[in-house]
Amino acid sequence: MKTTTVRLIEAAFETAVSSRLVEPVAIIGDAGVGKTTALTHIAGKRTKVAFVTVTPTNRRLKAMLAMAVAAFRIPTDAFYAADLASALEYNLEYLVADGWCLVVDEVQLLDAEAVFQLCKYTELFRLPLILAGNSHSLKRTRATASAIEQVRSRIGRWVIIDGVSADDIREFAIDANVEGREAHELLVRYGRQASLRELARLLDEARTFAGEGGSIRLAALHEALASIHGPKRTNEILNPKGD
């Protein structure tokens, strides 16, 4: 299923890889809209994508260099940051010429020094670079927001994914065999204030109440909501204005 998130990320990916930008592409969106799933799926269809995921424990420059070296499959026993950088830089010209690109997920966690170094590789070697991050975390964490803001002028294209679209939710509903206008309306209302992850969980839970063979109707969605969120939250979802 091609959601809005998938289509936006596919377009950004093609921009970065096909046009050989001298600037990175940034993909920023809320948690749960499917960025990582879409990136992983798209990268998995290609053979020359170096994919790294940043965590709080590997956010510094040395760890970033080590992850990039491993993702590009560069053989080295380098340990220190300078040696890792040398190994990467020695190979980048050949890797780029061979069609490789680098995708960095959860980029909002990276230190400023690591972000600058990645942008430098795009500028020096024309490395196709895609930086994907969580907009909510960028707003909450002053240090990481500052790191991204410092390279804002170096980003060639920004892709902002603003929540889950109603069209995406309707596609999920059709795919899950949800039947009835009220059931579809409930899913749209729920999905717009939740995430694709939470929506998928609700549909999985509703399937247990609806049974394997039939369609998912409004009653099954009500039961699934109550099972996941409890009566009070379910009532808020079903009656957003206290009706």
Side-chain angles (χ1 to χ4, degrees):
M1 184 192 310
K2 280 197 175 184
T3 65
T4 300
T5 296
V6 171
R7 288 190 287 268
L8 286 171
I9 291 179
E10 280 183 336
F13 209 101
E14 290 304 318
T15 297
V17 173
S18 302
S19 64
R20 288 293 189 268
L21 289 177
V22 293
E23 298 169 311
V25 171
I27 300 171
I28 304 299
D30 294 336
V33 296
K35 296 187 306 300
T36 297
T37 300
L39 279 169
T40 303
H41 174 71
I42 294 166
K45 294 192 295 184
R46 299 171 178 266
T47 58
K48 297 176 181 178
V49 177
F51 195 110
V52 301
T53 301
V54 184
T55 69
T57 59
N58 62 18
R59 59 182 295 182
R60 301 191 184 280
L61 176 61
K62 177 184 172 182
M64 178 71 247
L65 291 169
M67 287 191 296
V69 165
F72 280 118
R73 306 171 196 168
I74 298 171
T76 180
D77 57 0
F79 176 78
Y80 297 104
D83 295 331
L84 288 165
S86 294
L88 184 58
E89 291 165 16
Y90 180 80
N91 286 276
L92 271 178
E93 182 178 350
Y94 307 102
L95 289 165
V96 170
D98 196 34
W100 281 80
C101 68
L102 176 62
V103 177
V104 181
D105 196 18
E106 302 296 344
V107 70
Q108 78 279 357
L109 298 174
L110 271 183
D111 282 358
E113 185 181 15
V115 176
F116 274 115
Q117 190 79 350
L118 290 173
C119 292
K120 171 186 168 185
Y121 290 147
T122 297
E123 293 166 3
L124 293 178
F125 300 98
R126 303 184 73 86
L127 171 68
L129 175 63
I130 298 170
L131 306 173
N134 187 324
S135 58
H136 184 61
S137 295
L138 290 176
K139 294 172 186 174
R140 293 180 56 189
T141 310
R142 183 178 301 173
T144 52
S146 176
I148 298 299
E149 285 301 318
Q150 289 178 47
V151 299
R152 177 171 286 276
S153 63
R154 301 188 181 199
I155 303 297
R157 178 178 176 184
W158 289 84
V159 176
I160 308 300
I161 302 173
D162 186 18
V164 183
S165 76
D167 287 342
D168 288 345
I169 298 166
R170 292 188 185 98
E171 286 192 35
F172 265 79
I174 293 169
D175 192 59
N177 196 19
V178 175
E179 186 173 330
R181 180 178 59 82
E182 291 183 341
H184 279 248
E185 289 175 353
L186 171 59
L187 281 179
V188 169
R189 187 162 69 243
Y190 178 80
R192 291 291 287 169
Q193 58 184 301
S195 67
L196 290 183
R197 204 176 298 126
E198 292 169 310
L199 183 64
R201 183 189 176 196
L202 176 64
L203 288 169
D204 285 344
E205 186 74 7
R207 172 54 62 197
T208 65
F209 290 104
E212 288 299 324
S215 59
I216 296 175
R217 297 177 179 272
L218 186 63
L221 290 175
H222 284 186
E223 290 181 284
L225 284 169
S227 174
I228 294 171
H229 295 290
K232 181 178 179 181
R233 176 61 182 141
T234 298
N235 186 60
E236 292 172 353
I237 295 168
L238 296 176
N239 302 288
K241 297 181 180 179
D243 298 338

